[in-house]
Amino acid sequence: QGGSAFIVNFLNRFPVRARVLGVDHHGWVNHGEAFSVPRLGIIGKSETSGIIYTGDPKNEPVYAEKGTLADWQEKVGKPSMLSSRIGFAICLGFAAPLLEFTSEESGGFHFYGESSKGKSTCARALCSLWGPANERGEMGTWRTTDNGLESAAAAHTHLPLILDEIGQASPALLALIIYMLGNERGKGRATKGLEARRVLTWRLLFLSTGEETIEDYAAKAPGKKGALKEGVKMRMADIPAAAGGPEFGVFDGEFDPTKTKDERLALAAQYANQINTASKSEAYGTAGPAFIRALIAHIAVIGVSQFESNLREQMSDWVNKHCGTKDTQIVRVARRCALIAKAGELAIRFGVLPWTAGMPSEFAAKCFRAWRAEYKTAEMQDRERVLYVVEKISANRGRFALQRPGSDTPIQAASALPCMGVLKVTIEDIPTEAFINRTLFDAELCPVGDVPKVVLSALAKQGRLKQNDRSHPYMFKASGPLGKTIAPHLSGARCVYVMMPIDESSGGGA
């Protein structure tokens, strides 16, 4: 120890001709002054001296460059204008570095749909911004553990992460992985010496592809119960990959109305093949660095504060124009789309994207609307569950014993099938209350795939479920004359007690 102290003292006193900043991560250095790019070095005013990368090369993304920016614009950029999905994916790649200048969280999108419709073409086009879109490059897959994805995410800070084919993931781990990516940090661990190991962190945007939605795929996990939590669906939003119908796949069917449908289909196939070929072997790795260089120069002129202010204002304008709600979950996805839209507009302004101004905003709006059309808030899902129960009760009216006003004895159910319970009706024959056998409620009155407890909770939240049995949540135990009346039709007095009717004015839908 004494010897090492002398060495440190000597090094501290030794005359220094030049100082170098070592960074062990990729992405931004000094908040807008320089950018560390895997295998390409430091981009920015300090790219010739002053900053060096000191991280582990084994964890670096596989970035490389082939062809010129003009080659990429001609072979990938221009044909991408015909697809809102491919265009959106490319703009996501430009948006990842902009996270540094916003308060937005990491997050992603999942393109889903039938096989061979262009989902992987979207991923390859995104990949081509920084490197080759092949299996040895950045076309990452879901075939990995959460630990492996931690390292991959940390290596892609301020860069896009691609996860192709969700079908290769473990359904049981899917929700945990999405949460982890969105929460921007890995798990805490200890070394062999039981010392705390540094927790990996990141900030990125990611794109996933697959044939199923994340909810449908996660539901395949053994023992899976209940719907996927809203937080998961916000961190990785599902977008149907088909932009122009099943025939056109990711290409927008109306991209050239002057041509016949067959001609447009042929063009879509031609352009998809062109993008895939160029991304793999002809033109890649130039657009991303070109965007970063132009962005650094732009920030140097107007200043970081002004750039951040402009970006916030433009994102807010996009959200106000396209979102149409203040629901916090929906706004989160809208702001991510707005960031992607504005990144694309910047890429056009910098001369990187060969598109017309306004196209990135239009592509982001199309993708946002496609997501919004499929997405249901928790409240909307609850209303659908309640409506389903009410409609099933009405459809099975013949299986209920009917109790009319002034009568103490319900009329026996007309159907030969097992009796579901007792249905109270008004003089006008309108149902007012339903006492339902719990076993039959679970088996026949709940939407397919829903856990009965979730359905009962939805009924309770809308004030349509009467409860009095603390030992059995959501259950009603009739006693006294009521119990004697309904028990013969329920195999006991404990039941599900639903208040009817439910119409639009009650908040349950119709």
Side-chain angles (χ1 to χ4, degrees), residues 91 137 139 165 256 300 325 393 482:
C91 292
M139 284 293 287
E165 295 299 340
D256 190 347
T325 181
I393 290 174
L482 176 62

Side-chain angles (χ1 to χ4, degrees), residues 108-311:
F109 294 90
H110 174 67
F111 284 150
Y112 71 92
E114 295 179 14
S115 179
S116 302
K117 296 299 181 181
K119 299 184 299 295
S120 292
T121 302
C122 296
R124 291 189 186 103
L126 165 59
C127 188
S128 72
L129 299 184
W130 296 99
N134 53 46
E135 291 69 22
R136 299 182 304 279
E138 278 298 285
M139 284 293 287
T141 72
W142 280 97
R143 192 192 301 149
T144 183
T145 62
D146 54 343
N147 293 345
L149 265 180
E150 279 188 36
S151 298
H156 285 78
T157 289
H158 302 143
L159 295 164
L161 177 66
I162 300 168
L163 297 168
D164 200 26
E165 295 299 340
I166 201 171
Q168 297 178 344
S170 164
L173 292 176
L174 185 61
L176 293 175
I177 289 174
I178 295 172
Y179 263 125
M180 180 190 74
L181 290 175
N183 290 344
E184 304 179 345
R185 62 185 293 113
K187 295 180 290 187
R189 296 181 179 84
T191 64
K192 292 182 179 180
L194 299 182
E195 296 178 354
R197 185 178 295 172
R198 190 186 71 170
V199 175
L200 296 177
T201 61
W202 52 82
R203 198 142 183 235
L204 50 74
L205 294 177
F206 52 95
L207 180 72
S208 165
T209 69
E211 294 185 20
E212 297 177 290
T213 66
I214 56 174
E215 187 155 29
D216 288 343
Y217 191 68
K220 294 182 177 181
K224 170 67 178 176
K225 293 182 179 180
L228 206 60
K229 292 183 179 180
E230 294 301 303
V232 177
K233 293 187 284 186
M234 291 303 103
R235 284 166 172 79
M236 190 169 84
D238 283 319
I239 296 178
E247 292 177 294
F248 286 93
V250 296
F251 286 88
D252 297 72
E254 73 281 3
F255 63 79
D256 190 347
T258 65
K259 299 186 182 299
T260 66
K261 180 180 177 182
D262 288 342
E263 288 174 331
R264 281 180 281 138
L265 285 170
L267 275 176
Q270 174 189 327
Y271 288 139
N273 183 63
Q274 180 178 318
I275 291 171
N276 286 323
T277 301
S279 299
K280 290 179 179 180
S281 59
E282 295 178 354
Y284 52 76
T286 54
F291 177 78
I292 293 297
R293 289 191 176 93
L295 180 59
I296 291 173
H298 178 64
I299 292 173
V301 172
I302 68 171
V304 173
S305 296
Q306 186 61 51
F307 177 72
E308 292 176 341
S309 177
N310 292 347
L311 187 58

Side-chain angles (χ1 to χ4, degrees), residues 216-435:
D216 288 343
Y217 191 68
K220 294 182 177 181
K224 170 67 178 176
K225 293 182 179 180
L228 206 60
K229 292 183 179 180
E230 294 301 303
V232 177
K233 293 187 284 186
M234 291 303 103
R235 284 166 172 79
M236 190 169 84
D238 283 319
I239 296 178
E247 292 177 294
F248 286 93
V250 296
F251 286 88
D252 297 72
E254 73 281 3
F255 63 79
D256 190 347
T258 65
K259 299 186 182 299
T260 66
K261 180 180 177 182
D262 288 342
E263 288 174 331
R264 281 180 281 138
L265 285 170
L267 275 176
Q270 174 189 327
Y271 288 139
N273 183 63
Q274 180 178 318
I275 291 171
N276 286 323
T277 301
S279 299
K280 290 179 179 180
S281 59
E282 295 178 354
Y284 52 76
T286 54
F291 177 78
I292 293 297
R293 289 191 176 93
L295 180 59
I296 291 173
H298 178 64
I299 292 173
V301 172
I302 68 171
V304 173
S305 296
Q306 186 61 51
F307 177 72
E308 292 176 341
S309 177
N310 292 347
L311 187 58
R312 282 195 302 269
E313 182 178 346
Q314 292 164 2
M315 288 175 60
S316 295
D317 288 344
W318 191 96
V319 172
N320 291 336
K321 180 178 179 180
H322 298 286
C323 189
T325 181
K326 292 185 178 180
D327 183 283
T328 54
Q329 301 283 34
I330 296 173
V331 170
R332 282 175 65 184
V333 176
R335 290 191 62 81
R336 197 180 307 146
C337 288
L339 179 65
I340 290 170
K342 294 306 126 183
E345 300 293 352
L346 275 175
I348 293 173
R349 179 178 175 180
F350 295 159
V352 177
L353 268 180
W355 302 352
T356 303
M359 292 185 74
S361 294
E362 178 187 347
F363 291 164
K366 284 185 176 181
C367 289
F368 177 72
R369 287 195 297 268
W371 167 77
R372 188 74 182 85
E374 300 292 326
Y375 172 72
K376 296 180 178 67
T377 64
E379 182 181 0
M380 292 167 63
Q381 290 176 322
D382 280 346
R383 288 185 179 184
E384 288 188 355
R385 292 180 178 112
V386 171
L387 181 59
Y388 182 90
V389 171
V390 173
E391 289 179 342
K392 290 290 284 186
I393 290 174
S394 298
N396 287 277
R397 181 182 173 120
R399 294 179 61 185
F400 284 88
L402 297 182
Q403 185 169 12
R404 303 186 183 280
S407 172
D408 294 332
T409 305
I411 301 172
Q412 187 67 36
S415 174
L417 296 172
C419 180
M420 284 190 163
V422 175
L423 195 63
K424 285 191 174 184
V425 296
T426 65
I427 295 176
E428 294 81 11
D429 216 29
I430 298 173
T432 58
E433 299 164 83
F435 301 87

